[in-house]
Every structure is written in C-alpha cells, then in structure tokens.
Amino acid sequence: LVASLLQVDFEKLIDVLLVKVNNIRGETFKVPYTVSQAIDCRDALAKTLYESLFRWIVKKINDLVDSPEASTFIGLLDIFGFEDFEENNFEQFNINFANEKLQQHYNKNVFKWELEDSKEQGINYSDFTFVDNQSVLDLIE
C-alpha cells in the first residue's frame, strides 16, 4: 500500500528499508539492517513524509489566503511557550493543534458559558473579550 501511494516500486522500497548498501574500494556490499536499524529507517521515512505533508499543507493554506505574512505564520496555541524554533515541524504543529483544541474546549466551557450566564443574570459584560480561534481549528480540520 505504501509503495503504491508513494508511486515507487515495492521491491525497491523494501530494499531501502531493510538493506544497507556499502561501497568499499569499488565493491558494493548489501548488508541487512538489524531489526532496530530497520525500525529507525522506517521511522525516518515516516517523519520525512509527515514533514513534507506539513510543508504542503502550509503552502496550500498560504496560497488560499494569499498574504505575504501567511508564508511564515499560522496562529496556533503553544501552551507551554518554552520552545523558540526558527521553523516548526509537523510534529510541533500537531502538538500545538491539540493544545489549541484543548484551549478552545476550555474557552467554550468557561468564557462562553459564563458570558451566557452573566447575560441571563443581567450582568454587564460588554468590556470582556477573548480570542475565539474556532475558525482556525475549522480550517485545519
């Protein structure tokens, strides 16, 4: 299935994932990977595919919004805020997306419901605002 989706020859994909090719003094040797090495190779391929998919998604979003700033920024909550990456990868995007979903759930359950409750009780809340990123979540989903 993977070879078909990647449009590569099945046997060549298996060979790349399971066999290391060494060139020593003009001779080519094929040495099978250990199970651990093969797992690392598989995981590296998966990470590369996800990273490529992430870059493709960002490009598509940027093309849709057609804004000069869009090429470098997608606003998602980084709940801890400790990381300072030049460029985020697909894994970080997924972590931030999950955090944004949690924050949205919190906002909905606390802010939105509290505002409704205040309105029902006749409490003035006109000065209270919060950022609602539901449109960002909808776009990603």
Side-chain angles (χ1 to χ4, degrees):
L1 176 66
V2 173
S4 174
L5 291 172
L6 294 175
Q7 299 179 353
V8 297
D9 179 70
F10 176 77
E11 294 301 323
K12 286 183 181 177
L13 179 61
I14 294 297
D15 212 32
V16 165
L17 292 173
L18 299 179
V19 178
K20 176 174 38 174
V21 177
N22 292 327
N23 288 310
I24 302 171
R25 296 185 182 163
E27 278 193 73
T28 301
F29 299 92
K30 290 187 174 187
V31 180
Y33 285 130
T34 65
V35 171
S36 177
Q37 289 171 324
I39 288 171
D40 288 345
C41 190
R42 178 208 57 199
D43 292 349
L45 176 62
K47 187 173 182 176
T48 300
L49 291 172
Y50 279 117
E51 180 69 20
S52 296
L53 177 61
F54 172 70
R55 291 182 185 284
W56 181 83
I57 289 169
V58 170
K59 182 180 181 331
K60 288 296 181 185
I61 291 170
N62 290 339
D63 289 347
L64 287 173
V65 295
D66 196 30
S67 166
E69 304 88 48
S71 64
T72 60
F73 179 79
I74 296 175
L76 284 178
L77 175 70
D78 183 347
I79 202 160
F80 295 108
F82 297 146
E83 302 89 0
D84 184 17
F85 299 119
E86 260 320 293
E87 186 175 311
N88 280 327
N89 59 29
F90 189 64
E91 290 169 345
Q92 188 64 41
F93 175 81
N94 286 329
I95 291 166
N96 290 354
F97 176 64
N99 290 337
E100 188 69 43
K101 293 280 285 184
L102 290 170
Q103 183 65 43
Q104 183 64 17
H105 180 74
Y106 176 83
N107 287 351
K108 182 178 178 184
N109 288 304
V110 174
F111 297 132
K112 290 179 182 178
W113 290 345
E114 286 297 322
L115 290 175
E116 282 180 23
D117 192 42
S118 296
K119 183 178 178 181
E120 289 172 7
Q121 295 178 29
I123 299 171
N124 181 7
Y125 62 87
S126 60
D127 291 339
F128 181 81
T129 60
F130 65 94
V131 175
D132 185 353
N133 265 352
Q134 186 60 52
S135 60
V136 174
L137 295 172
D138 291 343
L139 176 65
I140 294 168
E141 288 178 334

